[in-house]
């Protein structure tokens, strides 16, 4: 019987724990109606008898700036029943004195929606802080979470070993030459300060308004997710988190200047004396800044086409449908420029006019690849031609393309190596139609100069003219009578 009594006691305890676990209650508490400029307004979400696993963003408040969240938990045992609660508090710093409105809002906590009607908040001048009264220390306060509202002195700031940087892979380029810019956050392996990204996408959209140079063509690498990669700088190991990366191509000789820009990170303050049931860190913010960076731009060497050529490292890939045709027959030819450079800015090849061959405007297609800090790709020109004269044609006389190679610092030309053999008769006069009587002067010798009778050939026209004259006379007579 004694063992059975113990079993019932254990069973009752399990029932109480289960009932507490499933009786999840969620509530929202708003801060006071009035806060000083040196105080925080708060919104606190509390979940009873369950842990906070996930929650949506707290609302924004006009006139306030979000300044971190903190968490706390509490466990009570009363008459053998265990109850617990966990809270998340969002702090808001007032920006200016005045009266502001917190609009009604909803949050989703652990998949459950909870709402608040909002309130009006008055921001007053800074208020004098009251000194807390001293009282006897109770060791159970920390154990059961009764000191969760103590001052900031419970937490300490740990110096971070991290920095924000904007780097370029080149310090000087030719006009039109690409250079890759990387905006990244670096954290040393020896870092002990807890850091976390905060609204990176939202911050970046604002930063790029200042960061993007106006005198450059941009190829954005479109970083969607921030991943860490190991790098070594000056003999020290870091994890680099790329936030933004792009290759820029200067359009003129103005230097490319990247100003110093800020980026805010969440930096946690660490508890001096963490407890089992309490929080061991507090969310705070720290702003990091890049250094200003300038890339010099120099002119291309003298050349008749220096203002029209592309800059990069390119090669030619060509293809022809057939190497032998008859006059009047068509052929297709592809002139494919590929390599590293500003693919979008590649100028079209200049095709000379010639009577020996009709070459029609091409279909153009381009492919651009952005990765590993490089922009590569191709621009493909598909031509359609019809030769008019027989003979052997070197297509290099028709298809060539000049560019500047910044690695060799020389101009280079991509030329076709294809030869086309054309047989058949000349088509010079084929376009003249057999039914074409030529111009007026070509036909003057064969035209008849015989006079034709007006009565026979133009009788209908004469009758029509007489009718028109009669109508005009009748109209004039009526006008005079009036």
């Amino acid at each position: 019987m004694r063992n059975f009594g113990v079993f019932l006691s254990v069973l009752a305890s399990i029932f109480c724990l289960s009932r507490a676990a499933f009786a999840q209650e969620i509530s929202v508490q708003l801060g006071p109606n009035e806060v000083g400029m040196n105080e925080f307004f708060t919104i606190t979400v509390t979940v009873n008898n369950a842990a906070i696993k996930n929650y949506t963003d707290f609302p924004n408040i006009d006139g306030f700036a979000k300044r971190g969240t903190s968490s706390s938990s509490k466990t009570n045992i009363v008459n053998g029943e265990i109850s617990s609660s966990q809270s998340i508090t969002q702090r808001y710093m007032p920006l200016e004195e005045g009266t502001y409105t917190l609009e009604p809002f909803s949050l989703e906590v652990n998949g459950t929606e909870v709402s608040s009607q909002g309130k009006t908040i008055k921001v007053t001048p800074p208020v004098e802080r009251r000194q807390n009264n001293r009282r006897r220390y109770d060791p159970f306060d920390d154990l059961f979470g009764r000191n969760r509202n103590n001052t900031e002195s419970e937490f300490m700031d740990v110096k971070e070993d991290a920095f924000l940087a904007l780097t370029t892979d080149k310090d000087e380029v030719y006009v039109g030459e690409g250079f890759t810019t990387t905006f990244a956050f670096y954290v040393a392996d020896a870092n002990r300060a807890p850091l976390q990204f905060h609204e990176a996408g939202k911050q970046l959209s604002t930063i790029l308004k200042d960061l993007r140079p106006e005198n450059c063509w941009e190829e954005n690498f479109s970083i969607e997710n921030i991943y860490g990669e190991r790098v070594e700088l000056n003999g020290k190991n870091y994890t680099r988190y790329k936030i933004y990366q792009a290759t820029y191509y200067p359009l003129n000789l103005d230097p490319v200047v990247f100003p110093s820009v800020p980026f805010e990170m969440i930096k946690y303050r660490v508890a001096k004396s963490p407890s089992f049931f309490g929080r061991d860190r507090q969310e705070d913010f720290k702003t990091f800044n890049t250094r200003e960076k300038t890339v010099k731009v120099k002119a291309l060497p003298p050349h008749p086409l220096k203002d029209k050529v592309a800059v990069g490292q390119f090669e030619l890939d060509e293809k022809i449908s057939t190497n032998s045709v008859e006059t009047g027959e068509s052929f297709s030819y592809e002139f494919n420029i590929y390599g590293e450079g500003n693919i979008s800015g590649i100028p079209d090849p200049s095709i000379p006019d010639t009577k020996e061959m009709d070459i029609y405007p091409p279909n153009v297609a381009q492919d651009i690849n952005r990765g590993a800090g490089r922009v590569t790709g191709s621009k493909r020109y598909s031509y359609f031609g019809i030769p008019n004269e027989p003979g052997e044609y070197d297509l290099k006389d028709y298809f060539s393309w000049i560019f500047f190679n910044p690695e060799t610092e020389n101009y280079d030309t991509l030329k076709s190596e294809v030869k086309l053999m054309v047989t058949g008769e000349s088509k010079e006069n084929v376009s003249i139609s057999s039914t074409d009587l030529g111009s007026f002067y070509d036909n003057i010798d064969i035209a008849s100069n015989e006079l034709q009778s007006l009565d026979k050939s133009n009788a209908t026209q004469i009758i029509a003219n007489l009718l028109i004259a009669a109508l005009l006379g009748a109209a004039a007579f009526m006008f005079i009578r009036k």
Side-chain angles (χ1 to χ4, degrees):
M1 292 296 294
R2 182 178 179 182
N3 291 337
F4 181 74
V6 173
F7 171 78
L8 289 178
S9 177
V10 173
L11 184 62
S13 298
I14 293 175
F15 174 78
C16 292
L17 286 172
S18 301
R19 184 179 64 180
F22 286 100
Q24 173 179 294
E25 298 177 2
I26 305 175
S27 61
V28 178
Q29 298 85 35
L30 305 181
N33 298 333
E34 188 173 303
V35 295
M37 283 293 294
N38 58 342
E39 296 178 320
F40 287 109
F41 178 80
T42 59
I43 299 178
T44 301
V45 174
T46 301
V47 177
N48 294 320
N49 303 320
I52 298 179
K53 299 177 181 178
N54 53 72
Y55 58 94
T56 55
D57 292 338
F58 284 83
N60 295 320
I61 307 176
D62 290 340
F64 291 80
K66 287 182 179 179
R67 279 298 176 264
T69 61
S70 59
S71 61
S72 63
S73 59
K74 181 169 61 177
T75 302
N76 292 322
I77 304 176
V78 179
N79 296 328
E81 292 191 2
I82 300 176
S83 63
S84 65
S85 66
Q86 185 175 356
S87 300
I88 296 291
T89 299
Q90 173 70 61
R91 295 178 295 166
Y92 295 84
M93 181 185 72
L95 302 176
E96 192 174 354
E97 296 178 22
T99 301
Y100 303 93
T101 300
L102 170 59
E103 301 291 344
F105 65 92
S106 297
L107 295 174
E108 190 172 291
V109 182
N110 292 350
T112 300
E113 187 175 280
V114 58
S115 301
S116 172
Q117 296 300 317
K119 70 186 315 180
T120 299
I121 311 165
K122 183 178 181 181
V123 179
T124 65
V127 297
E128 183 178 352
R129 298 184 182 276
R130 297 180 179 179
Q131 299 293 329
N132 293 329
N133 295 326
R134 293 180 177 271
R135 65 182 181 85
R136 183 177 60 84
Y137 171 72
D138 186 346
F140 290 97
D141 283 349
D142 286 333
L143 180 61
F144 295 109
R146 292 197 291 261
N147 276 340
R148 289 298 149 253
N149 296 320
N150 282 355
T151 63
E152 301 287 332
S153 61
E154 291 184 1
F155 300 90
M156 62 181 179
D157 183 61
V158 178
K159 178 64 177 176
E160 74 282 348
D161 192 353
F163 65 92
L164 181 73
L166 184 142
T167 58
T168 60
D169 63 342
K170 301 172 186 175
D171 295 326
E172 185 178 40
V173 294
Y174 285 100
V175 60
E177 179 185 359
F179 65 91
T180 300
T181 301
T182 304
F183 180 67
F185 192 72
Y186 295 77
V187 181
D189 288 357
N191 175 67
R192 293 295 177 267
L195 296 163
Q196 184 177 318
F197 283 98
H198 168 64
E199 297 182 342
K202 183 178 180 180
Q203 290 192 72
L204 183 60
S205 62
T206 302
I207 289 172
L208 290 182
K209 295 178 182 178
D210 298 324
L211 200 61
R212 284 188 169 118
E214 296 181 355
N215 61 326
C216 291
W217 175 273
E218 176 191 14
E219 288 291 348
N220 192 338
F221 285 65
S222 300
I223 296 175
E224 297 181 354
N225 298 303
I226 300 177
Y227 298 107
E229 56 182 352
R230 300 297 299 275
V231 295
E232 183 177 334
L233 299 175
N234 300 322
K236 189 174 181 178
N237 293 323
Y238 290 85
T239 299
R240 178 175 64 185
Y241 299 90
K242 291 181 183 178
I243 305 170
Y244 168 79
Q245 191 173 48
T247 295
Y248 288 104
Y249 300 90
L251 303 176
N252 54 39
L253 295 176
D254 296 337
V256 183
V257 179
F258 298 98
S260 173
V261 292
F263 193 80
E264 192 174 55
M265 296 284 293
I266 297 175
K267 181 184 177 184
Y268 291 95
R269 294 162 56 87
V270 180
K272 294 180 179 179
S273 302
S275 61
F276 180 78
F277 291 102
R279 50 185 174 143
D280 59 356
R281 63 183 188 178
Q282 183 183 61
E283 186 178 280
D284 204 349
F285 290 86
K286 182 177 177 64
T287 300
F288 295 82
N289 293 274
T290 63
R291 294 181 180 178
E292 183 179 293
K293 176 70 177 180
T294 300
V295 176
K296 297 180 181 180
V297 181
K298 53 187 177 180
L300 297 179
H303 190 278
L305 299 176
K306 75 170 188 175
D307 295 328
K308 299 180 180 180
V309 300
V311 179
Q313 300 176 59
F314 299 101
E315 296 183 49
L316 173 63
D317 179 31
E318 57 181 339
K319 184 188 301 182
I320 192 168
S321 59
T322 178
N323 291 95
S324 178
V325 294
E326 290 190 5
T327 54
E329 292 183 348
S330 65
F331 68 93
S332 59
Y333 173 74
E334 286 188 3
F335 190 87
N336 184 27
I337 302 168
Y338 70 95
E340 181 176 359
N342 186 5
I343 305 299
S344 298
I346 287 179
D348 297 343
S350 179
I351 308 301
D353 292 330
T354 175
K355 294 182 179 180
E356 290 81 9
M357 186 182 303
D358 294 329
I359 301 175
Y360 296 89
N363 294 321
V364 183
Q366 70 178 27
D367 296 311
I368 301 177
N369 303 308
R370 308 169 188 87
R374 301 173 60 208
V375 176
T376 60
S378 65
K379 199 164 188 177
R380 184 174 62 256
Y381 297 86
S382 299
Y383 293 92
F384 179 78
I386 300 177
N388 297 318
E389 298 294 334
E392 185 179 57
Y393 293 86
D394 283 330
L395 294 191
K396 67 180 180 181
D397 298 331
Y398 301 89
F399 301 97
S400 63
W401 186 76
I402 300 173
F403 69 100
F404 179 78
N405 189 332
E407 294 297 319
T408 62
E409 298 186 322
N410 289 313
Y411 292 91
D412 202 350
T413 303
L414 301 180
K415 295 182 179 180
S416 174
E417 296 181 355
V418 173
K419 291 187 178 183
L420 179 66
M421 182 63 67
V422 180
T423 58
E425 297 182 357
S426 172
K427 298 296 180 179
E428 181 180 0
N429 299 319
V430 171
S431 60
I432 301 177
S433 173
S434 60
T435 59
D436 186 4
L437 297 179
S439 67
F440 172 81
Y441 296 102
D442 292 335
N443 300 324
I444 195 168
D445 293 334
I446 62 175
S448 175
N449 58 0
E450 180 181 354
L451 295 176
Q452 296 185 10
S453 173
L454 183 64
D455 295 334
K456 294 181 180 180
S457 60
N458 294 327
T460 303
Q461 183 177 356
I462 292 172
I463 295 172
N465 289 339
L466 291 174
L467 290 174
I468 293 172
L471 290 173
L472 289 174
F477 177 74
M478 296 296 294
F479 178 76
I480 293 173
R481 289 186 62 183
K482 290 183 178 181

